[in-house]
Amino acid sequence: MSDQSLTLPSAVSEPQAGEVEINLSAGEIGQLSLWYLIWRRFLRNRLAVAATFVLLLLYLMVALAEFITPYDHLISNEDFVARAPQLPRFRDETGQFHFRPFVYGTTTELDTYNLDWVHKDDTTQMYPLKLFVKGAPYKLLGLFPSERHLYGVDAPGTVFLLGTDRLGRDLFSRIIFGGRISLTVGLIGVSLTILFGSVMGTISGYFGGPVDTVIQRFIELLMSFPSIALWAALAAAMPADITIVTRFFLISIILSLIGWTSLARQVRAKVLAFREMEFSSAATAAGASHFRIIMVHMLPNALSHIIVIATLAIPGMILAETALSFLGLGILPPAVSWGTLLQDAQTVGVVIKKPWLMLPGAFVIVSVLSFNFLGDGIRDAVDPFAL
Amino acid sequence: MADRAETILEVRNLHTHFHTESGVVRALEGVDFTLNRGQVLGVVGESGCGKSVTAQCIMNMVPSRGRIVDGSVIYHQRNGQGTDAVEITALPPKSREMRRIRGNEIAMIFQEPMTSLDPLYTVGNQLLEAINLHQDVDRTEARALAVHSLDRVQLPEPERVFASYPHQLSGGQRQRVMIAIALSCNPTLLIADEPTTALDVTTQAQILSLMRDLQDETHMSIIFITHDLGVVAEMCDEVAVMYLGKVVEQTDIDTTFYSPRHPYTQALLRSIPRLDDDQDRRLEVIAGSVPDPSSIPSGCRFHPRCPDFMTGVCEHREPTLIQIDEDHQVRCHLYGETASSQP
Amino acid sequence: MTTTPTSPSDTAVASVESGSGQSPLLEVRNLKMHFPIRKGFLKRVVGHVKAVDDVTFSVERGTVFGLVGESGCGKSTTGRCVIRLLKATAGEIVYTMPDDEPVHIEALDPESLRIMRRHIQIVFQDPYASLNPRLTLKQIVGEPLVINNVSQGQDLQDRVAELLRRVGLSPEHMNRYPHAFSGGQRQRISLARALALNPRFIVADEPVSALDVSVQAQILNLIKDLREEFGLTYLFIAHNMSVIKHICDSVAVMYVGQIVEMTTTRQLFRKPLHPYTEALLEAIPVPDPRRDRHRIVLEGDVPNPADPPSGCYFHPRCAYAQDVCRTETPPLAEHTPGHLARCHFAAELELKGMTI
């Protein structure tokens, strides 16, 4: 009568899955699927929920980039080269309060000593910020033609909330458009990772034997490459004449080429454990096929782990893309990503004189942290129900 | 009853709660028992009855999320002339005094000998650590003591075992090592938390026999926690039966098996398959299963499963522990508040 | 499950009657299961763990055959070989089909094995690991029916409801998930799943070992009831002699992969012939404080099956061992009719049994 699992003191100190919802009766909980219970636990983690909202907001912004941004991110403007951020103001020079926020105009002088343009706020010109202004025409989500932008000021005023780059392009617009590539490269890369990782991991763990050995040795080989060098080599080997879209997909594939290995190992470990669990044996005894056992008994149980691992892998992908583009091996101009934007911030001079050019880095940090918080939150929610 | 035997440990009205993120789990809700010096007390119950938590409370080692909210554990420590009563539950768990009591006065062995030993150190290392922690001896003396304690638990070739790593030993040998560590500082009270549950029957018999021999030899007091009534019958002088965080009956071993009074004890005894059964005897069952600690029934906690359930009483009022005989306490409404004169 | 069950009592009577004259329902002959021990980078085989080493027994229709022994004795491995969850290294497993056709389970191709599996089912020890937490009761109990295309839709629902009722669960719980059930209830669910295809033979691998004392009795009674109701035959694997005594008609005692004694339960308990059986009986803690507590205790540990002792595997622990036991392996010989023991001195020793 070895009921260790039942008499461990932890059965009291660490409530089991079934005990979690004290305010529900056993019958009510019984009706709830594990996914629902996991969801309820997830909602209790404030940091993870906040991170989810941040990420949703970021993705919404990049999806609606044309509407959110006031300017076309590709159009340069030599009158406003490297202008500092124009922050919306409520009080003017005289200290008078304005209900509607406004920005000042710009006066530009040439600093003959440094041979550099110097922009100053022209306090005589005030441009109130307006919502839903008319501007350059575009197609929202590629479908709906429109020329309204979320915010803007009347010409000849300008509103560069986060300043401009060295060609006078609005940095905020560039960051949002850059996020389109940087944030989606992670998602696509991770989808490919999940696909490779779970298929290879499942095959390796379920069938074992020589198949397993071959796959494991191959994974070890891949993992032993220095990843940045491998990425760089593969990226450098890409033909130069391919379109931006192709290049983008190829980079996603390159990133997931190494990313899948760790996922495959973890899926394999799970499958190995599930194979020994008696519910798989019971299914075998009932005549279930290998396919059914994998699809009904193994993958659904491994899915929560896969989601956690995948979520935690996205920031790595974002960082990798940023790193590649920063080195000039990833996304190439005129396409923008956070990595290409950060290329502008490579010199000390920029860091000292034009610090706003480092702002794309802040977006990288926020999104990477949010993905990490989200992944941790999912893991904490999944853990008590995991096998 | 205090006049004949000397009490070594008193547990009074112990309440221990665990604060989890989903609410309070009331693990112990009234645990009372008394242990006399030199006796073996069996604490018996099914999963979730709180027997292991009780042991943790006695050692003052309740996990961080748990709190003793009421009641006390009083240890009567021998000094030159008489005894000092030490209220263990009033001591800070990490205090010097508590650390002295653990090991020197009270030692504990656990269910899983595999995980209670550190796989990275030899048996000798772990024994010496325990000895050096509590005794002021030099290295050669400590080593001699360690080898002697391995010999005392009837391990063959104690010198070889001294130098082995835990994984080189069998489950039974590991449990012997655990007992050797626990006894290395000659505690007066040993708490054994399901020490044979993970072992095979023949190994279990060896360990039980060893513990009996050691008890005969040292006259230490033992609290033996188990779910196996057979083990209780073999080992114990007194029995406390627990159900869902409460002691429902405490009496001597013979009365427990031959004239138990609590319906739970009675039902438990009827439900176990016995070797001397007629093969066609249908096992009597206790209806239902042990409720989840988070959804405890009102009134008497056993009432939904009780064959002697009295409507209107059991589901409303919580029974108190009633002294029905000199050495027999029962927590059941059947015996009323004034039933102490019953034979 | 292609035919609706006939009146349960008929089946039971029929199988008991057929027990004497006909061939046994299951015969296991010289079953061996050797697991290779691999070492080193190239995973070379350096030896074998003889988990099951030449095991022969047969199970009569309508009876409960017990396999008892300590951990590592090979009892569960034997059970898994019988239903081909493991492919045995050698030996024959012959199952008699309802039309009296013998089928060699060890030699079946995957398709025939699938068909075969309707007849033989298994119940596992661990009530937590044996149910997939992502599926509802309906999906779990109905899985064998779905896999074998026996039933679907409303019919599936009705059958699952009926099965749940049979094992003492409420059919309304069909849409609940296993986490809402206690250990005992989960074992009932496992039994319902095992019964779904209306099998004739069930391997019960320590089905009550992980349960609370008060729940154990419920499940044992249920196993007994189902046997009568469906005319089932069980291979019952356990380490607890009291449970074996309670439920089995005949027993085989296993030690280090071998059967050391085999006979009817009554005979085994009354007059054991092998010293290991005697020791097992002695070792069981008896819930009776008036019984003498000081008894002979078996010394030493179960040997490592990868490196068993010479001669009789039991000799290092045996109180009666002689020189011959160290050198010669005793055969499993029939000493009295229907009573086999693997001991050189089975005929001479006067071993202590239980008074029944």
Side-chain angles (χ1 to χ4, degrees), chain A residues 60-72 130-142 144-152 172-173 176-177 180:
Chain A
L60 190 72
M61 277 165 73
V62 302
L64 305 176
E66 290 89 347
F67 168 68
I68 302 280
T69 57
Y71 301 108
D72 187 324
K130 291 180 175 170
L131 290 178
F132 306 114
V133 295
K134 270 193 175 178
Y138 61 91
K139 277 190 175 171
L140 191 65
L141 302 171
F144 312 105
S146 163
E147 48 187 29
R148 297 275 170 194
H149 293 260
L150 179 64
Y151 68 92
F172 177 73
S173 306
I176 298 300
F177 276 95
R180 225 177 224 191

Side-chain angles (χ1 to χ4, degrees), chain B residues 13 28 33 35-36 42 47 75 83 103 119 127-128 142 158 168 196 202 212 217 247 333:
Chain B
N13 197 29
L28 300 186
F33 56 77
L35 173 62
N36 290 334
S47 57
Y75 176 71
T83 55
L127 250 171
L128 287 176
Q168 294 168 318
T196 60
T202 56
R212 266 196 310 266
E217 183 189 319
V247 167
H333 289 306

